[in-house]
Amino acid sequence: MSYIYNSTDDRLDFPNPYRIENFFYFGAAGLLVIGALIALTTARGSLGSGSAVAMTPLIFGVGLLVKGLAFAARAMSRLRFFFGRGQPLSLTKELAPDQVGSADGANSIKDLLRHSSLSFPEPQGPLNGTLYSLIPNLIYAPHRIQLVAQRQFQNALAIGVSLLSLLVSMIGASSQTATWLGAFYFSLALFFLLKPLDIGAYGQASLGFKGLVALILVAILGPVLIPLLARDSMLPDWLPGIGQAGILMLVTEGAIGLFFLALIKQTRCSAPEATMAMTQGTLTMNSHPKQVQDELERRMQDQWVASLPNRRYARAVPEVNLNRQSGSFIGDLLEETQPVPRTEMKHLTLASCYSEPRYQWLGWLNTYGIAAILVAVVALIAFSVMFYTQKGLNLDVVAGATLGISMIIVGDFCFRAAGILWGRFDFVSKLIWVEMKGNYQAAQMDFGNQFTDRIKTQKQVINVESMTLRVWIAEVESVTFGKDMPRAILGMRGLKDEAEALHQHLHNFGAQQSMVIAPTSSVDVQRAQALSFMNQAGGAASGAAALPGAIAQAITSANMPSESNAFPPATLPSSCPSCRSPIESGALFCSECGTRVVMVSASLL
């Protein structure tokens, strides 16, 4: 992907949309690296113990360092932001400039223009029905964003059910049962909830109604079955208990809630505009219909946006078989102009981020993620400091390690979920579709009088009667979340005036096509005058001796400047060249001998 720079048009020079998010990434990276250095420093004392368990703080320190450097690397890779060649992505696969056919997905765009309506996937299932009733305008969001919302809504429901089950199971639970329940719910949160959060920002919704029912049964029956299965077995006291499992669920619900608040600000407040402008008419002409398409392509190139070629999605060339007397043809051209920003993107600052409606909840979601990472770093530092002492291993602080690990997972989710919405770009472009359908008849045409004209032309004429010419033009609003991600159409507005102007231009061009072959250049005109003079001189001369002089005079006249190329005016002779009888005015033949009278130049009389 190469960077494009045009000094005459800067509409594709965006401000860096990840500038504010980079501040949060650098902040989180700083916390993680500081925590890693402290953990590694304190872990040096346990290296000489000879115990593999004593080296646990060292492993946590290395993990914090790797995670911190990964956050810093992500921010540094987006310090500069460029739109390269071919960005944003086209609505579907493109055709090469000279390629004929229809790209994958071109028919969907044609149906969109033909039906003058937008198509959105219908949500399926009771869970999605509940989600779209709470956020009705989510249906107008891009499909990828809808999948993310569905996944997180299912995660929120699953966590809520588990949290409610945890609160119910605590009533009357013994200390032994509480230990097992704490381990059960913490494992349930990590396995069913935190792992989907790790991929849920990009994954497809998969829980479904049956999965939710199964999760509810596990959450309700688990507290009853676990004590029966465990019986008299005891778990270590240092494992995470019910309190830590409940905190983990509440923190996760808060992160998902902030994500939905940010998502709502990214969706439309009302239904999008969906109109189309279509102009159709008939065209009768005596020329190949491809000439109209060639003029259309020239017209489209003259209107390129920012001197960038249009994206071509379909091209069918009208074909005419000259060996057949009649037939039919179809031709069309579907192109999209270069997408340009819909509105000027604002240069955000860290302070203004929290006041802009579209970005304020994204800022708070990243802030929430930094807070979770801060808690994780503090917990892991405390674990590293107190895990190994002079008295040996202190297993009472293991809960701090499990809390730190879970908070890092939640903080990482906050950053990745917000990252999807930070990379939003809104574009405006035009979709232009011209369609030609008609029938043709082939014929041979001769131009010139068969008896009197010495110069005649012939041409094989293609007669097109009442060809249907349709023009669709619409301005479309599209959005992409990430410059390398697919673009989705959010609205379209028909441009009636432009459609009528293009239709009228093509109609006039086709109607003005000539069916007669004639000299067009100045040299052709001069030579035609010379040949005409030679014909007249040859007919007036009584013998071949007069012809060489006439030829020399004609050649001299053809090579003279334009003002000297005017031949002397031709006139009828006063007497017959054969019998010398007087010629009546306007007569074409001699009344005495019947000799044809030929007009000659006045200079030869």
Side-chain angles (χ1 to χ4, degrees), residues 287-336:
S287 62
H288 200 297
K290 188 178 182 299
Q291 292 182 251
V292 178
Q293 189 174 52
D294 292 340
E295 174 63 18
L296 171 62
E297 294 181 4
R298 288 189 291 266
R299 180 85 169 186
M300 301 280 269
Q301 183 171 356
D302 291 339
Q303 297 178 353
W304 283 357
V305 176
S307 300
L308 294 175
N310 294 346
R311 282 95 185 279
R312 179 172 293 176
Y313 302 135
R315 180 174 181 258
V317 178
E319 295 183 356
V320 172
N321 189 352
L322 298 179
N323 296 324
R324 299 176 57 185
Q325 292 298 319
S326 62
S328 60
F329 62 87
I330 297 177
D332 73 342
L333 186 68
L334 174 62
E335 291 189 357
E336 181 193 13

Side-chain angles (χ1 to χ4, degrees), residues 429-442:
S429 60
K430 293 179 184 178
L431 281 174
I432 305 172
W433 180 27
V434 178
E435 184 181 30
M436 297 178 291
K437 292 183 179 180
N439 302 314
Y440 69 90
Q441 291 181 344

Side-chain angles (χ1 to χ4, degrees), residues 349-363:
T349 63
L350 191 59
S352 64
C353 168
Y354 294 96
S355 60
E356 289 290 334
R358 175 175 289 186
Y359 301 102
Q360 60 180 355
W361 290 111
L362 286 178

Side-chain angles (χ1 to χ4, degrees), residues 410-430:
V410 174
D412 185 63
F413 159 75
C414 294
F415 276 86
R416 288 186 298 104
I420 299 175
L421 303 180
W422 275 113
R424 172 171 180 162
F425 301 93
D426 293 275
F427 295 95
V428 172
S429 60
K430 293 179 184 178

Side-chain angles (χ1 to χ4, degrees), residues 108-122:
S108 299
I109 299 178
K110 291 181 180 179
D111 290 339
L112 182 146
L113 298 176
R114 184 182 292 111
H115 298 156
S116 185
S117 60
L118 299 176
S119 177
F120 299 98
E122 181 181 356

